[in-house]
Amino acid sequence: MALDIRTAFVIIALLYLILPTFAWIVLVPQRKLAVNLWCGGGLLLGAGFLLVGLRGSVPDLATHEGANLALFAGTLSLIQALRLDLGVQWRARYVGAVALAYMLIYFAIRHGIQDSALRRQWLYVLYLVWLGFILHLALLAQIGR
């Protein structure tokens, strides 16, 4: 029995929607901005994965632009939460500028590159860079820097 990729995205989405909600409830005594950003980022990632899993059932605008915006905003929220924990947060205008730059790059790639495989590769590279940055920040937080 083969697993449909859309089903996998919906399962991932459910995990990303349930786990941050439970973490947010458990961390009520420590409810700082970093906790809210981390849990909110997880919820945004869950919403993005859910939209990806619903491709074909939901309009393309939501499943492409909406999903990528939710995935990016969730990732950016996780980064800001880790940076807050490290005491080196980004200013709101920098976060907004990075989000705007990402969306412009995304629209240029989505509407400029006709080859869908090349388009996916560019987006995967962008997400790989963001996830690498999260790993870097998590390692810095782990060693107590």
Side-chain angles (χ1 to χ4, degrees), residues 42-86:
L43 291 173
L44 282 170
L45 287 169
F49 284 127
L50 184 62
L51 286 171
V52 170
L54 294 175
R55 276 196 184 142
S57 303
V58 176
D60 281 347
L61 181 66
T63 60
H64 287 280
E65 280 78 2
N68 273 292
L69 181 60
L71 290 169
F72 177 74
T75 306
L76 194 59
S77 181
L78 297 180
I79 290 171
Q80 182 70 338
L82 285 171
R83 290 183 65 87
L84 272 168
D85 194 44
L86 291 170

Side-chain angles (χ1 to χ4, degrees), residues 32-39 41 45 73-90 95 130-145:
K32 298 187 290 187
L33 181 58
V35 171
N36 290 336
L37 283 172
W38 186 266
C39 294
L45 287 169
T75 306
L76 194 59
S77 181
L78 297 180
I79 290 171
Q80 182 70 338
L82 285 171
R83 290 183 65 87
L84 272 168
D85 194 44
L86 291 170
V88 289
Q89 74 184 37
W90 280 334
V95 173
W130 282 113
L131 293 175
F133 192 59
I134 290 174
L135 174 66
H136 171 72
L137 291 173
L139 290 173
L140 287 178
Q142 181 67 28
I143 61 173
R145 190 165 183 220

Side-chain angles (χ1 to χ4, degrees), residues 10-130:
V10 170
I11 291 169
I12 290 169
L14 291 175
L15 289 173
Y16 268 103
L17 291 171
I18 293 169
L19 293 176
T21 302
F22 282 132
W24 192 73
I25 291 168
V26 168
L27 294 174
V28 167
Q30 303 176 17
R31 189 114 10 112
K32 298 187 290 187
L33 181 58
V35 171
N36 290 336
L37 283 172
W38 186 266
C39 294
L43 291 173
L44 282 170
L45 287 169
F49 284 127
L50 184 62
L51 286 171
V52 170
L54 294 175
R55 276 196 184 142
S57 303
V58 176
D60 281 347
L61 181 66
T63 60
H64 287 280
E65 280 78 2
N68 273 292
L69 181 60
L71 290 169
F72 177 74
T75 306
L76 194 59
S77 181
L78 297 180
I79 290 171
Q80 182 70 338
L82 285 171
R83 290 183 65 87
L84 272 168
D85 194 44
L86 291 170
V88 289
Q89 74 184 37
W90 280 334
R91 291 185 174 149
R93 75 181 111 190
Y94 295 144
V95 173
V98 167
L100 180 64
Y102 172 78
M103 286 311 290
L104 290 174
I105 291 169
Y106 172 76
F107 281 117
I109 289 171
R110 174 135 164 76
H111 299 292
I113 299 175
Q114 298 304 317
D115 181 16
S116 65
L118 183 60
R119 189 169 54 223
R120 279 193 306 272
Q121 289 172 354
W122 275 104
L123 293 173
Y124 290 152
V125 167
L126 286 174
Y127 276 109
L128 183 63
V129 168
W130 282 113

